[in-house]
């Protein structure tokens, strides 16, 4: 099998941030097919590989050089550009930040909502967190808070929870779902583990976390919250106290309540207080389309995370003002990067939009410039970060559709900028 | 192109030159021998009266990787207050204690440094650290791989594996992560913290694997020796910051039984319990032990007063310090069955007795340890202070009057608790050149750095000899990197990429079958994907390999 060039073994999947690197992918007529897993994200994304198409300017096919020149002209003439989406590998993010510095642009990632609910808390209070291999090998009690994160990370349980913890003796593990039902197919991965579901109002997860925190000193005095009875809160508080290494996992992008960062803050507080007695760590999950990698590069290069403006020369971070969907109204030109998925938002009319995305991406309105690009991990190698922020991985290229990568296109746009546009 | 640096006072301890007036010649980025009277240099710099040294090398500075980025995020206030606009040729960024990559490279270069090494690269975070280091302009970098709390090593030791198998494991990990040296951080302690143990004594078996810290320490020191890694085991010792920890530090020196050992930020490990405050300087005892044993080297980890942030893999120690956080927020992480990270913002106050004594203990160590080849100038950036405080630290070492004046401003009880006032030693320029250039290159095995002999990389710093040593070292006249002028009068005038220094010790690859199974079963990652390819480091440009000589060190 390994000698057949059409079958790729041990393929690294760059899409959801779990870092699965055990995929078997077959190249067949018309695209790629994942053979080794039912993961709907991997199956869908690897399969969507239509042939390359030429770039377009105002809907007309043009050579790449004409498209990058048109993009440079539109961006160079703007006063408040937005460089966003940022769905690309580390090399693409570096090129995007270099361009943004030249333009004095605002930068953000398409999926930064969940990330910022977490980062807001990290920046305000700090936290105690863990990584996926610690979850797999040491965790004896997994508390999943809110809607099942497996919706975003389908193989979470199969790869990181179902295996027996290697570094606990005895190697026990149980899973509790709090204010969220486990989805069917992920739940199948947990068939050999004790699973408890505590249904409650998913908009009030923070209240449950606060009730649990309050119950830690004396579980007998627990009060109910979000529809969960006091007795269940008390029992869960006791299990947290008895656990050797509890992990509280959540996907903040799924939280429904307004000011969802406050929900995260209460979960973080719970983790903190459990650590007065035993070990416990949080696992914030948010990693699609290399949002974690984009934030890492931005933080090391600029000193501040995404949702930053380079308009004044010095980096200025403001998670509210510079969120891309809010700044979209202010911006007078948009560069949108989405190399991991053929999906882009609907942009407000009246401003030039330049899109770098896979071939076949549908548009509600034809952008001023569309440049089809390859996908890291499919068309070219690229570095992406795992959801837990620690592990960077290198995905490899599988096929050659003749598509340029994001870094190459952005570097060409930067080189074609009019010299007077050197704002930063 | 031939360049002549004419008539400077050359401080080049590796080649026995101490204020020797002479010329240097540079060709293709390297120092070359005097080409003779017939040669016509394309460029001549008249350095008459100037002080000429090799580019400085920082052997211990947390400049890149996961914990540094967490520190940047946590220190949001500093990034708001000290954001920096770009000014050609420099890009933007900011901060002092947690500088962005661009600012890191520029600030080092502006002080005449041409290399800095990240001393705590976790295996699982190595790829990130390398990606980040590649974005630090101007200076060379490299990383020390943190081992000694990794469950794989502890499993190997618990299985009764011999010295050879441990060395093979260490050798494989060093190669796979493109590292320069091995660092042990509170060996066993970080792992024990994951089982809620908040303290672990040197001879106490840890939880689960039941291995003592002493066993881990000696196993790693032996592996370094066996593999012939130039840099000795780089040890962040036991009970960091805890009064009385000097006993464990002295014990570590004994434990390695004559093998080479580098004690890092030893200031934080030189505390006694004498006196009315049960907190005292043990610098004299540590210095005496170091002076007596040529196999031991140290860097100081001097503290300087002001706001900074402490970032360490030592979650056990950092959790103990978290209550002292200023501002009151901190991050702990358990990481990937490797180690952890603890990030705690901290403000050292000159009117606080404990902080004043820490300051004095660091200076006592500098002044009492006699051999400048075995003691290194560090603040454990940013843990003791940002690296930008080195010029002031150099002044404290070279200028006793300044030292005494500064001491008089500190907590009034300090003089009764330190012998600092009685120490008359003042470092010479030659000793500074040894401590910041020649010795770091030698102890890291960088044969072509840290000196100005033919064949060396032309990393050269030129100063005006000012009586105010801080002013002198803050703002060199000229800095050359690989023969290229990058800084003039303290201002960066050209950008460029540095290089990444690594060792690639030979090992028996049969260990990889065992490791591969462990990676599949434990880490959820293929060993093949864990391994960092050469083309991943600076796009395949800039890897510098240094020789390993098994058994030689």
């Amino acid at each position: 099998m390994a000698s057949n060039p059409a079958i790729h073994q041990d393929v690294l999947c760059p899409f959801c941030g779990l870092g699965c690197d055990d995929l078997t992918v077959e190249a067949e007529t018309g695209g790629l097919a994942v053979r080794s897993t039912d993961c709907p994200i991997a199956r869908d994304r690897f399969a969507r590989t239509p042939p390359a198409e030429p770039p377009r300017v105002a809907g007309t096919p043009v050579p790449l050089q004409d498209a990058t020149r048109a993009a440079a002209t539109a961006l160079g003439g703007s006063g408040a550009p937005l460089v966003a989406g940022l769905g690309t590998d580390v090399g693409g993010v570096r090129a995007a930040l270099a361009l943004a510095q030249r333009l004095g642009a605002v930068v953000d990632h398409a999926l930064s909502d969940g990330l910022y609910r977490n980062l807001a808390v990290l920046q305000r209070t700090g936290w105690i967190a863990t990584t996926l291999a610690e979850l797999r090998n040491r965790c004896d009690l997994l508390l999943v808070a809110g809607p099942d994160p497996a919706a975003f990370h389908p193989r979470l349980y199969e790869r990181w929870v179902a295996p027996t913890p290697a570094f606990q003796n005895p190697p026990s593990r149980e899973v509790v779902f709090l204010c969220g039902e486990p989805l069917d197919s992920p739940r199948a991965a947990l068939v050999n583990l004790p699973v408890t579901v505590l249904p409650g109002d998913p908009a009030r997860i923070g209240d449950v976390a606060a009730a649990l925190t309050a119950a830690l000193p004396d579980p007998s005095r627990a009060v109910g919250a979000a529809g969960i009875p006091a007795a269940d809160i008390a029992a869960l508080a006791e299990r947290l106290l008895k656990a050797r290494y509890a992990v509280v996992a959540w996907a903040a992008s799924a939280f429904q309540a307004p000011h969802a960062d406050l929900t995260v803050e209460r979960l973080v507080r719970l983790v903190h207080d459990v650590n007065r007695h035993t070990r416990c760590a949080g696992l914030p999950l948010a990693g699609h389309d290399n949002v974690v990698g984009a934030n890492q590069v931005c933080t090391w290069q600029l000193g501040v995370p995404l949702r930053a403006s380079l308009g004044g020369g010095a980096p200025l971070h403001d998670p509210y003002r510079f969120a891309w969907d809010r700044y979209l109204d202010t911006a007078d030109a948009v560069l949108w990067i989405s190399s991991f998925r053929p999906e882009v938002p609907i942009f407000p009319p009246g401003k030039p939009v330049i899109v770098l995305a896979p071939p076949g991406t549908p548009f509600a309105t034809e952008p001023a410039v569309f440049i089809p690009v390859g996908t890291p991990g499919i068309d070219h190698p690229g570095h992406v970060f795992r959801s837990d922020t620690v592990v960077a991985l290198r995905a490899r290229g599988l096929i050659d559709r003749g598509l340029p990568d994001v870094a190459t296109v952005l570097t060409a746009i930067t080189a074609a900028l009019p010299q007077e546009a050197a704002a930063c | 192109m031939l360049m002549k640096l004419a008539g400077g006072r050359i401080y080049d301890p590796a080649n026995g030159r101490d204020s020797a007036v002479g010329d240097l010649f540079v060709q293709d980025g390297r120092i070359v021998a005097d080409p003779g009277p017939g040669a016509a240099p394309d460029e001549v710099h008249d350095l008459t009266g100037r002080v000429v040294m090799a580019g400085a090398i920082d052997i211990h500075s947390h400049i890149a990787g996961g914990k540094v980025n967490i520190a940047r995020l946590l220190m949001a206030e500093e990034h708001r207050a000290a954001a920096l606009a770009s000014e050609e040729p420099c890009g933007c960024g900011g901060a002092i204690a947690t500088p962005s990559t661009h600012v890191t490279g520029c600030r080092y270069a502006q002080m005449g440094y041409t290399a800095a090494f990240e001393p705590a690269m976790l295996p699982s975070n190595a790829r990130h650290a390398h990606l980040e280091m590649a974005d630090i302009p101007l200076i060379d970098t490299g990383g020390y791989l943190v081992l000694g709390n990794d469950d794989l090593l502890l499993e190997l030791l618990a299985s009764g594996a011999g010295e050879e198998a441990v060395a093979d494991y260490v050798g494989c990990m060093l190669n796979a992560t493109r590292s320069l040296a091995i660092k042990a951080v509170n060996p066993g302690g970080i792992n024990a913290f994951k089982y809620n143990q908040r303290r672990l004594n040197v001879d106490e078996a840890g939880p689960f694997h039941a291995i003592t810290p002493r066993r881990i320490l000696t196993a790693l020191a032996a592996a370094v020796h066996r593999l012939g890694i130039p840099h000795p085991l780089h040890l962040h010792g036991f009970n960091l910051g805890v009064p009385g920890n000097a006993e464990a530090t002295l014990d570590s020196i004994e434990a390695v039984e004559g093998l080479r050992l580098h004690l890092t930020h030893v200031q934080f490990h030189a505390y006694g319990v004498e006196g009315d405050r049960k907190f005292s300087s043990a610098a004299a005892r540590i210095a005496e032990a170091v002076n007596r044993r040529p196999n031991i080297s140290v860097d100081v980890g001097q503290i300087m007063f002001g706001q900074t942030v402490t970032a360490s893999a030592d979650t056990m120690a950092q959790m103990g310090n978290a209550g002292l956080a200023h501002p009151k927020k901190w991050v702990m992480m358990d990481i990937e069955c490797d180690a952890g990270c603890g990030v705690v913002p901290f403000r050292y106050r000159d009117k606080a007795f404990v902080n004043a004594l820490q300051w004095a203990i660091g200076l006592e160590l500098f002044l009492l340890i006699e051999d400048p080849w075995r003691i290194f100038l560090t603040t454990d950036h940013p843990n003791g202070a940002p690296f930008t405080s080195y010029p002031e630290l150099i002044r404290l070492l070279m200028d006793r009057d300044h030292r005494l004046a500064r001491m008089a401003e500190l907590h009034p009880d300090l003089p009764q608790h330190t012998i600092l006032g009685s120490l008359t030693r003042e470092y010479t320029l030659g000793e500074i050149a040894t401590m910041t250039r020649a010795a770091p290159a030698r102890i890291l095995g960088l044969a072509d750095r840290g000196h100005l002999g033919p064949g060396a990389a032309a990393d050269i710093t030129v100063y005006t000899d000012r009586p105010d040593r801080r002013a002198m070292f803050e703002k060199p006249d000229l800095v050359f990197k690989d023969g290229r002028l990058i800084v003039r009068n303290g201002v960066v005038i050209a950008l460029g990429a540095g290089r990444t220094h690594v060792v690639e010790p030979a090992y028996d690859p049969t260990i990889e079958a065992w490791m591969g199974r462990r990676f599949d079963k434990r880490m959820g990652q293929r060993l093949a994907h864990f391994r960092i390819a050469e083309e991943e480091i600076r796009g395949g440009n800039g890897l510098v390999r240094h020789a390993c000589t098994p058994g030689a060190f």
Side-chain angles (χ1 to χ4, degrees), chain B residues 398-412:
Chain B
M398 296 189 71
D399 181 345
R400 183 175 181 233
D401 290 342
H402 178 62
R403 203 155 65 214
L404 294 175
R406 192 73 188 95
M407 204 172 127
E409 297 166 7
L410 306 182
H411 191 281

Side-chain angles (χ1 to χ4, degrees), chain B residues 464-544:
Chain B
T464 294
D465 189 354
R466 296 177 214 275
D468 178 347
R469 297 306 188 187
R470 173 178 175 158
M472 172 178 171
F473 282 94
E474 231 162 30
K475 203 171 165 186
D477 303 340
L478 304 169
V479 180
F480 298 89
K481 178 80 184 75
D482 295 311
R484 201 162 141 259
L485 187 61
I486 55 169
V487 172
R488 186 192 289 280
N489 298 324
V491 177
V492 174
I493 59 165
L495 281 186
R499 297 163 194 273
T500 301
H501 295 267
V502 300
V503 290
E504 294 178 347
Y507 64 96
D508 181 350
T510 52
I511 191 79
E512 289 173 11
W514 178 84
M515 290 173 66
R517 286 195 300 276
R518 286 296 186 282
F519 263 76
D520 286 348
K521 278 192 196 156
R522 312 270 197 260
M523 308 305 289
Q525 191 184 2
R526 300 269 194 254
L527 182 58
H529 292 146
F530 171 76
R531 206 185 289 274
I532 301 172
E534 177 168 358
E535 67 261 30
E536 294 185 67
I537 309 288
R538 300 180 186 274
N541 295 309
L543 210 57
V544 184

Side-chain angles (χ1 to χ4, degrees), chain A residues 114 117 145-149 151-152 202 205 250-257 260 285:
Chain A
R117 290 170 180 177
D148 190 350
F152 306 98
I205 304 152
W250 66 86
S253 56
F255 289 168
Q256 301 295 326
L285 292 160

Side-chain angles (χ1 to χ4, degrees), chain A residues 10 21 94 123 129 131 134 136-138 159 167 245 275 279 296 300-301 317 383 390 424, chain B residues 69 73 80 86 101 125 131 135 151 194-195 198 329 332 334 336-337 521-522 524 526 529 536:
Chain A
D10 289 344
D21 66 350
R94 281 173 169 150
Q123 294 199 298
T131 67
E134 294 289 348
R136 175 161 161 161
N137 294 302
R138 241 178 294 272
R159 283 175 51 80
F167 303 130
Y245 192 97
N275 272 282
R279 283 309 319 277
Q296 291 281 35
W300 79 55
Q301 284 204 355
H317 168 63
H383 288 115
V390 168
C424 181
Chain B
N69 245 3
L73 289 170
R80 194 167 280 270
S86 58
T101 45
N125 193 239
L131 288 167
D135 283 356
D151 288 282
K194 293 173 180 175
Y195 296 90
R198 310 287 167 128
K329 53 181 181 178
M332 295 294 147
D334 300 314
E336 261 333 70
C337 304
K521 278 192 196 156
R522 312 270 197 260
R526 300 269 194 254
H529 292 146
E536 294 185 67

